[in-house]
Amino acid sequence: MTIEITGKNIDITPAIRARIEFKFNKLEKYQVPLISKHVTITKEPNGQHTIDVSATLPGGQLIASARRDDLFGAITEVFQKLERQMNKQTHKPTSRRATHSDKPEVEEETIAEEESDFID
């Protein structure tokens, strides 16, 4: 799947494209197919760079944004956010919930016998 990279007030150089592709390749370790990938890089008049990334998964959509003075630092930050979201999304079905945990069941007869021991 190709990556759509849009630049506003900035030219997308091969180095920027290579860094973004490298970061998306690191997300493949979760073995979840990304349906669509879109990155928007904006250079603001004050010199800051804003990066917005959206990726569509079969179970939902991941969206992250970062704003920094350093372009490559912003790329790293936004992909760390995406990685946390993807980790949560992939492990969500297997995570343990309080309602489904394996608690030992105590029979009422045992409780009644223990209470009668204390009363005597």
Side-chain angles (χ1 to χ4, degrees):
M1 172 60 54
T2 60
I3 303 170
E4 295 180 38
I5 302 175
T6 306
K8 295 180 181 177
N9 300 328
I10 190 169
D11 293 328
I12 305 301
T13 63
I16 296 171
R17 183 173 298 278
R19 175 64 65 105
I20 291 172
E21 289 174 355
F22 173 75
K23 293 293 186 176
F24 268 117
N25 287 336
K26 283 184 71 174
L27 294 178
E28 289 180 3
K29 69 181 177 182
Y30 292 103
Q31 298 177 351
V32 176
L34 296 173
I35 298 170
S36 68
K37 309 170 202 173
H38 186 78
V39 179
T40 304
I41 302 173
T42 307
K43 183 174 182 181
E44 298 181 8
N46 61 1
Q48 286 192 336
H49 297 89
T50 303
I51 300 179
D52 300 313
V53 178
S54 65
T56 305
L57 302 172
Q61 186 172 12
L62 306 176
I63 298 173
S65 180
R67 176 181 288 176
R68 296 186 85 178
D69 291 332
D70 179 28
L71 175 64
F72 290 101
I75 292 172
T76 302
E77 182 180 343
V78 78
F79 276 97
Q80 287 173 350
K81 291 178 181 181
L82 273 181
E83 188 172 5
R84 282 192 300 269
Q85 289 180 24
M86 186 170 274
N87 185 20
K88 183 177 179 180
Q89 187 77 17
T90 56
H91 291 91
K92 198 172 196 177
T94 60
S95 64
R96 295 183 64 136
R97 303 283 186 228
T99 59
H100 302 298
S101 63
D102 297 329
K103 294 181 182 176
E105 295 183 19
V106 179
E107 296 179 12
E108 291 185 24
E109 294 175 11
T110 310
I111 296 173
E113 290 176 7
E114 291 176 358
E115 289 178 358
S116 65
D117 291 341
F118 290 116
I119 295 174
D120 293 334

